[in-house]
């Protein structure tokens, strides 16, 4: 983006911010604003895996938003606009255009109905509006850091003991460039707390990876995980805050229609144990089964690798090395410290160790500081 348009956008947002500070309501409408700083350090040492190159993600994102909200009974309608300004530390490009990551514009409608809360949001908005948890089987931390927003639609329904979400993220527009493929992702997740001991839920997405002006063909990528979580500790006891077990069945189906060979199907089991004492957590995630990334090293009709264009998780889930090249395990052991800072600030410091087929394959050191106003 050119510098002049960026300056105009900043001026508009700053003007709106000043107006909202002086006039909190107008004709029944209410101005609001939010702002956050998200600093992320993620040192990824993966040379031992032979699958991922080591790298360090270190930067900060400033996300101001302003909007107008209207309340009527149990309904709230709002429109908002904002910016994502990201600085990768050490980047030699210091121009204003390089800092502007995305422009957010969206409308949202919320309505409380009985014991439920229905909400629909459309536009370009923060991924944080999705409240369900997505594990690294679906999205790596790197992908989430570099792609913080959703361009499309989000529908959610929240009730006393659970939540449901359905979203569409339009990722690639045919014709926007010669090589850009039409691509969208339909995601859904839900959970229900049956009692203090048991929660059942699921996560699922369907990716449509279509043709570009340069490349023919369509690829389908479906991934789903029904899961169950058992809390061995149903209420805090002294410093013990959580002790839980999660088990899930990860099911995938992938097809490159150019090959004409139908879907390649695979299954992967997940077993996660989490213990939290005070501000310290220990988490172990173990995955065993078939590779859910069968097309990762394949190419399209123009010779481009599918790789991270088709898969948004890390290649650690390419299972191989046991009796055949489509079966294996991945183990992730993490120690995490989340001190209570108070106010609207949160800090996470963690170390994560990865093992592929019971052999050390790399580690991460993560520091995340988020301040929201």
């Amino acid at each position: 983006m050119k510098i002049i348009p960026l300056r105009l956008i900043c001026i508009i947002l700053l003007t709106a911010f000043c107006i909202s500070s002086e006039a909190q309501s107008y004709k029944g409408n209410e101005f609001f604003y939010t702002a956050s700083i998200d600093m992320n350090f993620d040192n990824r040492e993966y040379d031992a895996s032979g699958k991922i190159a080591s790298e360090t993600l270190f930067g900060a994102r400033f996300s101001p938003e302003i909007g107008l909200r209207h309340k009527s009974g149990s309904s709230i309608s709002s429109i908002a606009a904002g910016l994502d300004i990201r600085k990768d530390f050490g980047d030699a490009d210091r121009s204003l255009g390089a800092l502007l990551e995305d422009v957010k514009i969206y409308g949202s409608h919320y309505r409380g109905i009985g014991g439920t809360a229905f909400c629909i949001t459309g536009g370009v908005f923060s991924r944080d509006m999705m409240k369900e948890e997505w594990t690294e089987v679906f999205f790596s931390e790197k992908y989430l850091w570099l792609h913080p927003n959703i361009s499309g639609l989000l529908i959610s329904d929240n009730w006393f003991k659970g939540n449901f979400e359905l979203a569409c993220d339009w990722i690639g527009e045919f014709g926007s460039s010669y090589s850009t493929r039409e691509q969208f992702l339909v995601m859904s997740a839900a959970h229900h707390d049956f009692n203090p001991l048991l929660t059942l839920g699921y996560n699922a997405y369907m990716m449509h990876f279509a043709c570009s002006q340069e490349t023919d063909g369509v690829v389908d990528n479906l991934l789903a995980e029904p899961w169950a979580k058992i809390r061995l500790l149903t209420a805090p006891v002294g410093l013990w805050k959580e002790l839980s077990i999660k088990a899930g069945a990860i099911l995938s189906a992938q097809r490159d229609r150019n090959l004409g060979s139908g879907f390649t199907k695979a299954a992967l089991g997940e077993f996660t144990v989490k213990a939290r004492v005070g501000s310290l957590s220990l988490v172990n995630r173990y995955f065993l089964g078939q590779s859910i990334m069968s097309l990762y090293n394949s190419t399209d009709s123009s010779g481009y690798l599918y790789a991270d264009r088709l898969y948004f998780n890390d290649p650690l889930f390419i299972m191989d090395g046991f009796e055949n090249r489509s079966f294996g395990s991945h183990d992730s052991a993490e120690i995490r410290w989340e001190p209570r800072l108070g106010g609207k600030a949160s800090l996470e410091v963690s170390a994560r160790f990865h093992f592929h087929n019971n052999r050390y394959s790399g580690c991460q050191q993560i520091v995340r500081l988020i301040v929201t106003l």
Side-chain angles (χ1 to χ4, degrees), residues 339-364:
R340 180 181 298 179
L341 300 182
K344 294 186 176 181
S346 64
L347 174 66
E348 173 189 334
V349 181
S350 66
R352 188 175 301 169
F353 304 91
H354 300 279
F355 302 86
H356 192 71
N357 295 336
N358 301 323
R359 296 180 181 178
Y360 176 75
S361 59
C363 65
Q364 292 174 260

Side-chain angles (χ1 to χ4, degrees), residues 37-57:
I37 286 285
D38 184 352
M39 189 220 72
N40 179 52
F41 171 81
D42 184 358
N43 185 42
R44 305 160 64 86
E45 300 178 9
Y46 282 146
D47 287 348
S49 70
K51 299 175 182 293
I52 312 175
S54 296
E55 62 178 330
T56 300
L57 305 175

